[in-house]
Amino acid sequence: MSIAAVMPTYARTDVVFDRGEGAWLYATDGRRFLDFGAGIAVTALGHAHPHLVAALKAQAEKLWHTSNLYRIAGQETLAERLVAASFADTVFFCNSGAEAMECAIKIARRYHQAQGAKEKFRVITARGAFHGRTLATISAGGQEKHLDGFAPKVDGFDQVAFGNMNEMRAAITPQTAAIVVEPIQGEGGIIPADLEYLRNLRTVADEFGLLLIFDEVQCGLGRTGKLFAHEWANMKPDVVALAKGLGGGFPVGACLASEKAAQFMVAGTHGSTFGGNPLAMSAANAVLDVVLAPGFLDQVTATAEKLWAKLRPLVAKYPKIYDEVRGKGLMIGLKCHLPNKDVVEKFMAHGLLSVVGGENVVRLLPPLIIGDAEIDAAIVMIEKASAELSS
Ligand SMILES: *Cc1c(COP(=O)(O)O)cnc(C)c1O
């Protein structure tokens, strides 16, 4: 037996990063990389952002953890800010995206069951979805590669084609409690839902008394140029899961809900030992200081437009490598003809970090703070990598 001390559940690239600054990462072997993966959409403000560092340092010297047996000032502040900036009336804090989704699913079941509808527990999800790696969330995501060897599948999840309202309507039964979709599928390959589809989901959820849950763990927190991706559709969900970018690299998850959806989540119904501890809250509040500052999200949109304007012709110039560029804001997918792993590897050889996604997509998820210099550097790297790949 010779299993690695770190359980080998990842096929890791052989590089160790030592420090980061803004959009740049420095490896122990002396190489420097432009980080357009952002730790999978997590380091939304780049590395070592001075405001985040200062906030975390100050909190680290004061208080790390107390537990949810007591009031936590940072939680109350963060919850009030998220409520003020969204459809939500209340927020549960946890430590990851999967936990935020678990909370969302529990809210949906309890909403119906506390009203006497004991039969309502099923959740309709979309094919290609990703909601995390817990037993419930791999069942929600429904992807064979995530379920393999972990049977039995948790009961209560029905999958339909993403974007198809006919299938959605047909899948609703008296046991259905909720609909769960990502407004933009992330791991699935950066697939934005039609805004009309999101609005139609609202209509059908209302018609059948279902809760509408959006998983914005990847597309939320400013990545599309709005705090929440569903804002582009001008509609309100009942529950939203948030995580990745929220702590800027510190593990924080949040489940946002309307009062109607969460009215039965009373004391004792849900919990987390670490969730929302003072250290995590100082990080997330610092992230919001930046993201909610006037003009920041407009700046994200302006930055994204510049990047897209340079990416589009580049992608068109290499039709043997790329099929299309898709996504929204700084959540960008390059759908490839060549194997996406080869493209990511070639980008990395030229100093650019990116992430593979479903449907043979390469994901570009740069920190939201990139400027012209980073855009230009990335384009040069992609151009050089593409020229090499096509030769
Ligand atoms: C990453 C992700 C999750 C899971 O988040 P973890 O923090 O890894 O548990 C859930 N939903 C979406 C859309 C994600 O992108």
Side-chain angles (χ1 to χ4, degrees):
M1 299 293 271
S2 63
I3 194 165
V6 175
M7 197 179 288
T9 62
Y10 280 89
R12 296 169 195 269
T13 301
D14 185 16
V15 63
V16 179
F17 299 113
D18 180 46
R19 69 187 179 90
E21 197 184 323
W24 297 89
L25 274 172
Y26 298 82
T28 49
D29 59 12
R31 286 182 293 168
R32 178 176 99 134
F33 296 92
L34 182 54
D35 186 8
F36 269 38
I40 320 187
V42 167
T43 48
L45 301 181
H47 302 284
H49 189 289
H51 183 64
L52 270 59
V53 171
L56 208 52
K57 266 189 181 164
Q59 188 61 48
E61 284 168 1
K62 259 171 55 178
L63 185 65
W64 290 20
H65 178 89
T66 54
S67 106
N68 287 304
L69 297 173
Y70 314 102
R71 286 178 57 194
I72 295 171
Q75 253 188 51
E76 294 174 11
T77 307
L78 185 63
E80 280 161 15
R81 297 172 88 183
L82 289 171
V83 163
S86 76
F87 72 96
D89 302 307
T90 187
V91 185
F92 178 85
F93 292 108
C94 49
N95 314 286
S96 67
E99 280 177 278
M101 280 307 302
E102 289 272 347
C103 180
I105 296 162
K106 286 178 74 173
I107 287 174
R109 288 190 176 186
R110 191 163 169 88
Y111 170 76
H112 294 287
Q113 294 178 23
Q115 297 184 75
K118 303 279 185 219
E119 73 286 0
K120 290 199 193 295
F121 71 98
R122 305 197 72 83
V123 173
I124 304 175
T125 65
R127 232 162 266 133
F130 182 77
H131 300 300
R133 295 295 201 112
T134 62
L135 287 170
T137 53
I138 57 175
S139 302
Q143 299 203 28
E144 273 316 313
K145 65 180 179 200
H146 296 148
L147 287 160
D148 184 38
F150 300 116
K153 201 173 151 184
V154 171
D155 192 17
F157 298 96
D158 303 303
Q159 292 212 301
V160 297
F162 185 51
N164 187 319
M165 278 314 295
N166 291 335
E167 281 196 21
M168 182 59 75
R169 281 187 169 273
I172 296 169
T173 74
Q175 294 186 322
T176 307
I179 294 167
V180 171
V181 300
E182 295 159 82
I184 302 177
Q185 287 194 339
E187 308 296 312
I190 312 291
I191 309 170
D194 281 345
L195 300 182
E196 194 56 34
Y197 176 64
L198 300 181
R199 289 189 285 266
N200 287 337
L201 290 178
R202 179 71 274 169
T203 305
V204 84
D206 288 344
E207 186 182 333
F208 290 91
L210 313 176
L211 291 188
L212 179 57
I213 301 170
F214 285 156
D215 181 345
E216 294 224 17
V217 168
Q218 191 161 153
C219 63
L221 218 97
R223 183 140 295 277
T224 66
K226 294 218 186 265
L227 190 59
F228 300 95
H230 70 262
E231 289 175 46
W232 292 103
N234 245 318
M235 45 81 66
K236 290 178 166 54
D238 300 299
V239 179
V240 163
L242 209 56
K244 290 194 166 83
L246 182 57
F250 200 98
V252 190
C255 183
L256 288 69
S258 67
E259 180 168 21
K260 182 185 116 177
Q263 62 187 298
F264 304 107
M265 300 302 288
V266 297
T269 53
H270 195 43
S272 166
T273 297
F274 294 121
N277 84 8
L279 212 49
M281 295 298 95
S282 72
N285 272 308
V287 169
L288 282 197
D289 289 344
V290 177
V291 171
L292 293 179
F296 182 86
L297 290 171
D298 291 338
Q299 181 65 41
V300 171
T301 297
T303 300
E305 274 167 13
K306 283 186 203 165
L307 180 55
W308 280 79
K310 293 185 174 175
L311 269 177
R312 277 204 190 89
L314 223 173
V315 162
K317 184 174 161 190
Y318 295 100
K320 285 197 189 121
I321 307 173
Y322 309 110
D323 180 5
E324 64 167 346
V325 50
R326 65 194 189 193
K328 180 89 187 157
L330 291 177
M331 185 168 183
I332 302 170
L334 303 175
K335 187 164 163 57
C336 298
H337 293 300
L338 296 185
N340 56 357
K341 283 196 179 76
D342 297 352
V343 177
V344 165
E345 215 169 276
K346 187 61 86 178
F347 282 4
M348 189 165 174
H350 286 272
L352 184 72
L353 300 183
S354 57
V355 187
V356 295
E359 293 201 343
N360 201 35
V361 158
V362 171
R363 283 181 282 172
L364 301 177
L365 305 162
L368 309 182
I369 46 92
I370 55 167
D372 292 348
E374 284 81 17
I375 291 175
D376 292 344
I379 293 295
V380 168
M381 291 167 183
I382 294 171
E383 172 73 59
K384 283 184 183 163
S386 304
E388 260 182 49
L389 283 165
S390 63
S391 66

